[in-house]
Amino acid sequence: GLDQADLSRAALLATYSIAGLAIGSVMAVIHTTVQQEAPDTLRGRASGAITFFRSVGAVLGTTIVSLVLFTLAPVDGTTSPGDLLTRAATLDPALRGAWESAFRAAFLTLALFVCGTWIAVATLKTRRIPADL
């Protein structure tokens, strides 16, 4: 598997930067498209709705992933997720394995969100936006 030690700081920063740029470009396209399609009298409401539903989605997504992670994580009162980074080599192998399984399940949940979004986009009926707008 891929352990924390396998990624250098530069590789981790590059990975986060690519993910951030990809997500950032999608957000602007969605916002622009909704503003272009909304009638003039509702454009402000449409922009507000995008921001509101994006916030609600972020909260729900974070809640679900956290629920999966901490439902499966071992609770012994002495070990925290931070211990995996600071003293992973000295942790009991069974405890470390349980934390790894919990994180694996959390990332699988994120992957399911991505797949669900991909399916929703792939099955979305497309329509051309008029050029004269």
Side-chain angles (χ1 to χ4, degrees):
L2 186 65
D3 288 338
Q4 166 217 347
D6 291 341
L7 288 178
S8 68
R9 181 174 285 246
L12 190 61
L13 289 173
T15 302
Y16 287 157
S17 296
I18 290 168
L21 288 172
I23 291 171
S25 65
V26 170
M27 299 293 185
V29 170
I30 292 170
H31 204 85
T32 302
T33 302
V34 168
Q35 283 187 336
Q36 185 172 354
E37 285 294 306
D40 290 342
T41 58
L42 300 177
R43 193 161 289 140
R45 292 179 189 174
S47 295
I50 292 169
T51 303
F52 173 74
F53 286 113
R54 186 180 300 153
S55 297
V56 170
V59 168
L60 287 174
T62 302
T63 301
I64 292 169
V65 172
S66 297
L67 177 70
V68 168
L69 174 64
F70 292 110
T71 298
L72 299 176
V75 180
D76 64 357
T78 61
T79 306
S80 71
D83 291 336
L84 294 173
L85 299 174
T86 57
R87 58 184 191 98
T90 62
L91 284 179
D92 172 34
L95 187 61
R96 180 179 170 165
W99 274 105
E100 287 175 356
S101 294
F103 274 102
R104 199 170 286 118
F107 282 105
L108 178 63
T109 303
L110 289 171
L112 290 173
F113 286 157
V114 170
C115 289
T117 303
W118 184 85
I119 290 169
V121 169
T123 58
L124 186 67
K125 181 180 174 187
T126 58
R127 62 188 183 107
R128 183 170 297 281
I129 296 175
D132 60 344
L133 288 177

